[in-house]
Amino acid sequence: MLVLAIDTALDACAAGILDTDDGRLIAQETLPMKRGHAEALMPLIARVIESAGIGFTALDRIAATAGPGSFTGLRVGLSAARGIALAANKPVVGVTTLAAFAAPVIGEDRKPPVISAIDARHDQVYFQAMNGDGDALIQPRVAPVAEALAASRFGAPHLVGNAARLLADRWPAHAPPPVAVDQQAAPDIAWVAWLGAAVSPDAAPPRPYYLRAPDARPAGDSLLKPRALAAS
C-alpha cells in the first residue's frame, strides 16, 4: 500500500509517502512553521510526490492529522487530503495528533504509562493516558494542566508531545518522576502514515477532532492501539 500522509495540525507542515510493502517512507519533507501552512502545503506535497517518482493515482490512501491542534492548520490539511482523495478517487482517513505522538512509544519493551499532551493554552492541555500496551487509562480530552498531572497516580510515565516539557516541569514532587520526556513540536510524519495505513476508512473519517465543546465527544479504544490509532 502507498499512503500519502499529511500533517498541518501544529508547528510543522509535513508530508510523506509510505510504502507498506517496503516498510519505509519513500519520500518525505517537513517544514517547521507556526503559520503559513495554507501557502506551503500543496507545493510541499508536489515535491514529495515528485521525489517518490509516482503520480497521485498510484496512491492507495491519503491520511491526515485530524487534531487536536490549530483549528486553521487542521482545516488546511484535511481540506487538502479530501481534495486529493476526491480527485484521485482514493480513500482518505483521519489520524489524531495525540495518537501519532504516542504511537512510537506504545509497544516498546518497557511498559510505563504513556501520556501524550498538546498545549491548549490558558493553562490547559489536550491529553490522553494509556498503559504500555495502548489500553486507555484516560480518554482524550481537554483539561487544566492540574488534571493531566493527576495521571501521576498511574506511575512514572513516558511523556510525549508539544506539552511534554510543560507537564514535566510541573510534575508533582511526591510522584515518581517521568521515565522519559519527549518534547516534540509535531508528530513524526512516518507514524501518521503508519496509523493511516492501519485504520479502516469507515472508522476514521477525515473530520476535525477538536475536543473542545461543543465538538468534544467520547473516543473509542481504536484511538489508543498502535495497530488502529486514528481519529474518530
Side-chain angles (χ1 to χ4, degrees):
M1 181 187 296
L2 291 176
V3 180
L4 169 63
I6 298 168
D7 172 43
T8 56
L10 296 168
D11 291 347
C13 184
I17 297 175
L18 170 68
D19 183 340
T20 60
D21 293 336
D22 201 29
R24 65 183 182 93
L25 292 185
I26 59 175
Q28 64 177 309
E29 183 176 342
T30 298
L31 298 176
M33 62 175 60
K34 293 183 179 295
R35 298 177 181 83
H37 298 79
E39 295 76 18
L41 180 58
M42 292 310 297
L44 186 150
I45 290 174
R47 293 192 297 272
V48 169
I49 289 287
E50 181 178 6
S51 178
I54 63 171
F56 286 102
T57 56
L59 298 169
D60 296 294
R61 181 176 294 185
I62 295 91
T65 44
S70 160
F71 290 3
T72 300
L74 293 176
R75 289 194 293 270
V76 168
L78 289 168
S79 294
R82 288 193 295 254
I84 293 169
L86 181 63
N89 193 28
K90 304 296 181 180
V92 57
V93 298
V95 172
T96 73
T97 320
L98 291 169
F101 274 131
V105 181
I106 299 297
E108 291 183 345
D109 290 338
R110 60 189 183 189
K111 299 290 184 182
V114 178
I115 300 174
S116 53
I118 295 169
D119 190 354
R121 306 193 186 282
H122 308 297
D123 206 42
Q124 293 188 324
V125 291
Y126 303 107
F127 83 103
Q128 68 179 23
M130 63 216 80
N131 65 23
D133 293 321
D135 297 316
L137 298 172
I138 299 175
Q139 296 284 6
R141 64 188 62 186
V142 60
V145 170
E147 183 175 327
L149 295 174
S152 61
R153 66 186 183 273
F154 297 115
H158 189 132
L159 302 178
V160 63
N162 77 356
R165 177 54 58 189
L166 184 156
L167 295 187
D169 289 345
R170 294 172 58 177
W171 199 250
H174 65 270
V179 298
V181 180
D182 288 340
Q183 177 75 17
Q184 301 174 26
D188 186 338
I189 195 64
W191 283 101
V192 176
W194 278 111
L195 297 179
V199 74
S200 165
D202 293 334
R207 60 172 178 256
Y209 188 69
Y210 291 140
L211 288 181
R212 288 192 186 277
D215 302 299
R217 57 190 178 80
D221 282 352
S222 63
L223 290 168
L224 303 169
K225 293 288 188 178
R227 59 181 176 275
L229 287 162
S232 59

